[in-house]
Amino acid sequence: MIEDPQSKITVEELAQRMVEKSEILQLIDVREPEEIAIAHIAGFEVLPLSQFNDWSEDIKQRFNAESETLVLCHHGMRSAQMCQWLRSQGFTNVKNITGGIEAYACLVDASLPRY
């Protein structure tokens, strides 16, 4: 499966968008609680994939399916899976944050711990 380039956002673009705050962004982090304890970015709602059954049924009540939704994980694989699932649920503007929090720590905020 070839991913649409429009369905991705770089960590640099994410950082700029978060500073601008010119529009509402729905930010989802699918990493596990122990990963969040090591490093996290403020403003992200944590929905660990291992707890899918706990939050999946009310995803459309928690998030607007038409608003821009950006998804983060460690490197970008789990977030890509989440993006695909969100699209299958009718979300129309979903983007995977390429490189995940690892790239964010390397390219945007060196104070974030890497793991």
Side-chain angles (χ1 to χ4, degrees), residues 78-94:
R78 288 175 286 176
S79 53
Q81 291 175 322
M82 177 67 161
C83 288
Q84 186 174 14
W85 180 78
L86 286 169
R87 286 186 200 98
S88 78
Q89 299 303 302
F91 282 72
T92 58
N93 191 0
V94 180

Side-chain angles (χ1 to χ4, degrees), residues 18 29 31 43 54-55 57 59 73 95 101 104:
M18 291 178 69
D29 189 331
R31 295 175 303 133
D54 296 337
W55 52 256
E57 295 224 0
I59 195 76
C73 71
K95 293 181 182 167
I101 200 161
Y104 194 89

Side-chain angles (χ1 to χ4, degrees), residues 13-70:
E13 291 170 318
L14 168 66
Q16 184 62 41
R17 302 277 303 284
M18 291 178 69
V19 168
E20 290 171 357
K21 296 182 183 177
S22 60
E23 58 196 84
I24 295 174
L25 294 176
Q26 298 181 128
L27 306 171
I28 299 175
D29 189 331
V30 297
R31 295 175 303 133
E32 299 304 313
E34 56 274 11
E35 293 176 281
I36 301 296
I38 296 168
H40 71 277
I41 303 171
F44 277 79
E45 173 118 15
V46 178
L47 300 177
L49 286 184
S50 67
Q51 297 171 18
F52 179 81
N53 290 335
D54 296 337
W55 52 256
S56 60
E57 295 224 0
D58 67 345
I59 195 76
K60 286 188 177 178
Q61 286 75 45
R62 293 174 74 173
F63 297 93
N64 182 332
E66 295 177 8
S67 293
E68 186 169 18
T69 305
L70 308 180

